[in-house]
Every structure is written in structure tokens, then in C-alpha cells.
Amino acid sequence: MNARSPATPLDELDRRIINALQGGFPISDEPYREVADSLGTTESELLARLQRMLDAKVLTRFGPMFQIERLGGRFVLAALAVPEARFAEVTALVNALPEVAHNYRREHPLNMWFVLATETPDGIAQAIARIEAATGLPVFAFPKLREFFVDMRLKA
Amino acid sequence: MNAPDDLDRRLVIATQAGLPLVPRPYDLLAEQLGVSASEVKARLAAMLEGGRIRRIGAVPNHYAIGYTANGMSVWDVDDAHIQALGEAIGRLDFVTHCYERPRRLPDWPYNLFAMVHAGDRATVLARVGEIAALLGPACRGHDVLFSTEILKKTGLRIGNDG
């Protein structure tokens, strides 16, 4: 997961699989077979490569991306200014919360940026209170006020 | 928004870690949830249609597929112009997401966030320059926060106490 460690090299079929699977996965009886056919490979090869890329963390997930806000929940971006000497300890405390969906180290005095995802609106304040109690650090919350664009697809 | 109905919620919990990697994944989900495969497929299709699912697909590790420079560009934009400017920034093909968020004064003067991914920092900074040109005098200041490490990337996890 480290930013600098290059993962297992991807071959051309891996890249085509990643690009094809970044959206529009079929909802049908044999969806992997359909995708495999369109890529000129076999269902078993596609499944094996998907498993391998998930194991190698080339893919962090494969499945439905839920918009939890349309299901009554909330996503909120939040940040901490973590003293360098405490970075590993605070990372473990923050990551231990299941509400922390992802977390990045960034170059800035606010050096830890994470997304909280909760099933109810109240869950956000509770998660923030738990992080503040566990770390002794103030959480800066940045709930979105307006969404102008979201499309996380990146060509491999 | 409305509270999700029970099958929606059970589908989230059953698939939030991933869709089963088996030839007939929706049949397997149906078996796990005690409903028919056609019900699973119809519900997933309805969730996609209604936006409760953004898409079904793969989430690549940016670094692993060559996007080693990931800059969160943040901007202090005049509130009177943020709607039009946010939409314009969101339309740039290299911006993967773009939001208005609250300032946290005095520590944090920025109210527009635009994520820029590229193969190297120079490219990210050139693109940040394009954003700056587009914002013009409505922008009073900006910064770019590069990520140096993914600390966690599991995605949504609900139902931990059930």
C-alpha cells in the first residue's frame, strides 16, 4: 500500500480488465462470462486475474460502490494535524474505526485525511468524538456543501 | 433521504467487501440472503437507477496503476462565484472529484476541493495551474496537498454491531 513500492507489473490484459471493470459491470446470470467474452478471454482467467489483483492490492475492491447518503447515511472528509512522533500510533487508532473508509497521509500540517462513512447522520459526530477521545487531537471536519463532479475512474 | 429498506441494507452488508468472485455471483448472494436471484438482480438494478449504487466495478489502487502523484488541490474562492466556478472545474477532464466544503478559519481558508491524479507531480502542478487560470481573480489563494501514503482503503463498512 505504500506510495513508493511499485506493485506487481500489470500486463496488457490486466490493464484492459481494470479499464473494463471500472463501470457498467453487468447484472446478469453470468456477468464475468459476459465481460470475459468482450475482452477475448475466458471466465476462469478473468476470475483468477481479479483475485490476483485484489490479493496484490492493485485493486482495493471489486463490487457495488454505494452512495450511502442516498441510503440515509453520510460520508464526511476529515483531517488531523498529527505530531510526527505519534504518526504510527494515531494511524492505528484512526484506522481501527470501521467508520474510517479510507485514510491518506498528505504533505501539510494537516497531515492525515480520512473519509468517515456512517449509516446514519448521527454516526459522524459519534465517530469524530471517538477519534478525538482516543487521540487527544481535534478533528477538522469538511462535510461537502455542494458536489460539482465525481467520477473516480482512472485509465490503467 | 429515506431510510433504506431491509433488502437494500442487507445487500450493502453482503457486498460492501466485494462482489463474490464466482461464475454466478448474484445467485450466490440470493442464496446468502434467502431471496431469489431475480429479486437480487432487480434490486441492484433499481439501486443503480436510483443512485443508491454509483456503479458496480473495480477500485484500483492509484499508485499501482501508475498514478503516483495524487494532489488534493484546495482553493479559497469567492462565495459569490463558487457555483459557476465549481461546475467549470468539475468539467475539466483531469479532475476526478470536486466539492465545495466549509472553511475552518483561521487554520483553513479553502472552500473548493478538486482532486488531480497524474503520473508525476509536475503534471499535477501544471493542471493545478490550469485550474488557477480558470478561477482567475475570484480565487484568493490555493494549496496542493500531495498524498505520500495510503493508510487505509477498505471503503464503506456498515452493520458492524449486527
Side-chain angles (χ1 to χ4, degrees):
Chain A
M1 294 287 260
N2 192 289
R4 298 182 211 294
S5 65
T8 27
L10 302 177
D11 70 14
E12 191 252 341
L13 180 56
D14 289 331
R15 290 183 183 276
R16 287 198 294 125
I17 289 170
I18 294 170
N19 290 335
L21 289 185
Q22 283 190 69
F25 188 71
I27 300 178
S28 61
D29 289 339
E30 298 180 308
Y32 297 105
R33 180 180 302 278
E34 271 184 48
V35 172
D37 286 349
S38 75
L39 292 171
T41 185
T42 63
E43 179 185 64
S44 58
E45 178 71 19
L46 173 62
L47 286 167
R49 281 173 181 257
L50 269 177
Q51 187 64 61
R52 199 182 68 220
M53 289 194 281
L54 285 163
D55 291 344
K57 304 209 188 304
V58 169
L59 300 179
T60 58
R61 224 178 135 261
F62 173 70
M65 310 287 121
F66 294 102
Q67 176 26 312
I68 195 67
E69 291 168 340
R70 298 249 170 111
L71 289 154
R74 287 286 183 280
F75 284 120
V76 170
L77 178 69
L80 287 171
V82 182
E84 202 51 47
R86 293 189 60 201
F87 202 87
E89 173 219 346
V90 172
T91 299
L93 290 169
V94 170
N95 286 358
L97 270 74
E99 293 90 341
V100 174
H102 31 99
N103 186 5
Y104 288 85
R105 182 172 186 144
R106 294 190 182 278
E107 291 176 343
H108 189 271
L110 287 173
N111 53 359
M112 185 179 290
W113 288 79
F114 49 94
V115 171
L116 298 169
T118 63
E119 201 175 348
T120 63
D122 294 348
I124 295 293
Q126 291 162 14
I128 288 174
R130 285 223 300 285
I131 291 170
E132 291 188 332
T135 64
L137 300 170
V139 171
F140 291 78
F142 297 96
K144 70 180 169 217
L145 302 179
R146 270 182 272 214
E147 177 178 303
F148 297 115
F149 182 76
V150 178
D151 186 350
M152 277 306 299
R153 284 174 287 189
L154 291 171
K155 191 174 182 302
Chain B
M1 288 286 163
N2 303 329
D5 94 346
D6 186 57
L7 183 56
D8 277 7
R9 184 172 187 273
R10 290 195 300 140
L11 274 167
V12 174
I13 291 170
T15 62
Q16 60 189 354
L19 197 67
L21 293 176
V22 298
R24 302 178 69 94
Y26 306 115
D27 288 18
L28 180 58
L29 284 173
E31 200 176 302
Q32 289 166 353
L33 297 173
V35 298
S36 69
S38 55
E39 203 171 349
V40 165
K41 287 183 288 183
R43 181 59 65 97
L44 288 172
M47 292 176 84
L48 261 172
E49 176 70 30
R52 303 194 296 284
I53 293 175
R54 280 192 192 272
R55 61 185 176 89
I56 300 175
V59 182
N61 173 340
H62 303 160
Y63 297 110
I65 62 170
Y67 293 85
T68 49
N70 302 277
M72 184 174 76
S73 71
V74 293
W75 307 82
D76 177 8
V77 177
D78 185 342
D79 293 317
H81 299 292
I82 195 162
Q83 176 75 42
L85 290 170
E87 286 172 4
I89 304 304
R91 279 195 295 269
L92 295 170
D93 61 2
F94 54 77
V95 170
T96 58
H97 37 188
C98 184
Y99 296 105
E100 181 189 1
R101 300 186 186 279
R103 296 183 181 87
R104 298 294 179 203
L105 298 171
D107 307 272
W108 186 264
Y110 309 112
N111 59 340
L112 183 71
F113 288 56
M115 197 66 73
V116 179
H117 301 276
D120 57 74
R121 290 192 178 199
T123 306
V124 169
L125 291 174
R127 290 171 173 178
V128 166
E130 286 183 50
I131 296 175
L134 216 156
L135 290 173
C139 174
R140 291 175 291 249
H142 76 276
D143 200 350
V144 185
L145 281 68
F146 283 101
S147 64
T148 52
E149 193 178 349
I150 301 175
L151 303 170
K152 184 177 186 182
K153 194 166 175 170
T154 46
L156 175 75
R157 288 293 183 279
I158 64 165
N160 303 290
D161 48 7

